[in-house]
Amino acid sequence: MRILLTGATGYLGGWMLRELSRSHDVVCAVRPGSRLQQPAQTVEWDLATDLPGTFPKVDAIVHAAQSRHYTAFPEGAADAFAINCASTARLLDWSVQIGVERFCLISSGSVYEPYDGVLEEAAALAPTSLNGTTKLAAEILTRAYDSEMAVSRLRLFFPYGPGQTQRMVPNIIDRIRKGDSVTLAGQNGLVFSPLFVEDIARIVNAAVNDGWQGSYNIAGPESITLRAFSEIIAEIAGQPAKFELKGADSPDLVASVERLKSRYPMHSMVPVRTGLERTMTGERAI
């Protein structure tokens, strides 16, 4: 199968490229002047602009690109709309024109914000953050094309892994290695299901291979408190874990994965301790 991958120069996209390239011909849409960290065919496209006329014919699309300014509001709103929403609309329209059979949108668990109900795919959604609203808008756009091709919407929860920076897990690892305290809401902090990056790449590959249709929560196989998660990091690092308790208990941010279980062998996913060991030894996608 020939697959067009957007976001291949990003953290998650690099892992997806490696996994998809094992069994598919992958073409990466990249910004002019950008470089991939591993060899692959590329086509230049600034996602904030119209599609170029040089795109090759493909069988499937994995749309993993995300605005770099998704946390900056209001100054990042225009870029977030252009990358998260408008580029999705352009790709969907182009997909129908050339006969693309499968379209996989990489979305986010942030569509469930403010996380005050059951986090399951059929829930009513009303996010208020820039990332949550633009990701949901992209999902809604794809629904109009469900009758035209196999469209899957993968909502990722708490991705982590080797080489990741400026996110919750690497920040916690850094604090523990430095001997700083980890802040917990309440006694144990939030309950979540961390998702190892290699599992994300494999699930994306399965979604494209099998033509998944609909929305899927993509979360790790284990639910764990932030305290217990931090204690595993401390044990691996050979450092004592220190905590600072603030405020009331955090709500659980554990997504329902029953729909994922029906399509993917979650027992094969990387356990938390193994994922943290691999993360902290610096194993990379390339």
Side-chain angles (χ1 to χ4, degrees):
M1 192 182 306
R2 198 172 204 205
I3 299 172
L4 176 70
L5 172 65
T6 70
T9 59
Y11 177 68
L12 296 179
W15 286 81
M16 293 177 196
L17 174 56
R18 183 180 74 164
E19 180 65 28
L20 292 169
S21 296
R22 296 183 194 276
S23 53
H24 301 290
D25 178 17
V26 182
V27 182
C28 300
V30 299
R31 289 186 180 90
S34 297
R35 293 183 179 180
L36 296 172
Q37 296 185 30
Q38 58 195 89
Q41 182 182 346
T42 62
V43 58
E44 290 191 344
W45 177 34
D46 180 344
L47 272 71
T49 64
D50 289 338
L51 286 166
T54 55
F55 263 27
K57 183 174 175 56
V58 297
D59 306 298
I61 293 176
V62 175
H63 190 24
Q66 173 170 287
S67 169
R68 297 175 179 177
H69 306 291
Y70 69 94
T71 61
F73 184 82
E75 59 272 21
D79 187 77
F81 177 81
I83 305 302
N84 293 1
C85 303
S87 70
T88 304
R90 293 187 181 102
L91 281 173
L92 288 164
D93 182 59
W94 178 72
S95 297
V96 172
Q97 292 179 34
I98 69 165
V100 167
E101 299 172 355
R102 299 168 188 186
F103 191 105
C104 178
L105 176 69
I106 306 305
S107 187
S108 166
S110 64
V111 300
Y112 291 104
E113 293 168 338
Y115 307 114
D116 57 359
V118 178
L119 308 185
E120 60 183 15
E121 292 88 347
L125 304 177
T128 57
S129 74
L130 179 59
N131 192 55
T133 54
T134 54
K135 286 294 188 181
L136 180 57
E139 287 195 19
I140 293 171
L141 283 168
T142 65
R143 292 176 193 167
Y145 293 80
D146 281 348
S147 61
E148 302 293 331
M149 53 190 162
V151 180
S152 56
R153 295 167 283 271
L154 308 186
R155 298 169 177 170
L156 308 186
F157 283 80
F158 298 102
Y160 77 100
Q164 187 186 44
T165 60
Q166 298 180 341
R167 293 292 185 270
M168 184 183 80
V169 173
N171 289 345
I172 293 172
I173 292 172
D174 185 59
R175 292 190 67 82
I176 290 174
R177 282 175 166 163
K178 289 179 177 178
D180 296 335
S181 297
V182 175
T183 301
L184 301 178
Q187 187 66 32
N188 295 305
L190 65 86
V191 181
F192 68 122
S193 301
L195 176 63
F196 192 63
V197 65
E198 185 177 64
D199 287 323
I200 298 172
R202 290 175 174 171
I203 289 169
V204 168
N205 194 26
V208 173
N209 281 336
D210 299 338
W212 292 12
Q213 188 90 35
S215 301
Y216 295 84
N217 290 334
I218 311 299
E222 300 172 63
S223 297
I224 189 170
T225 64
L226 185 56
R227 175 185 286 274
F229 187 78
S230 300
E231 287 172 343
I232 294 173
I233 292 172
E235 183 179 340
I236 295 170
Q239 295 273 108
K242 301 177 182 178
F243 299 101
E244 180 179 359
L245 309 186
K246 286 189 175 181
D249 290 344
S250 169
D252 292 354
L253 298 184
V254 178
S256 169
V257 289
E258 292 307 308
R259 188 171 293 180
L260 176 62
K261 286 180 180 178
S262 72
R263 300 303 301 263
Y264 189 81
M266 289 192 67
H267 62 82
S268 69
M269 295 174 71
V270 176
V272 169
R273 174 174 287 276
T274 303
L276 284 173
E277 289 171 345
R278 292 175 60 182
T279 297
M280 294 173 69
T281 56
E283 178 190 334
R284 301 182 70 89
I286 58 173

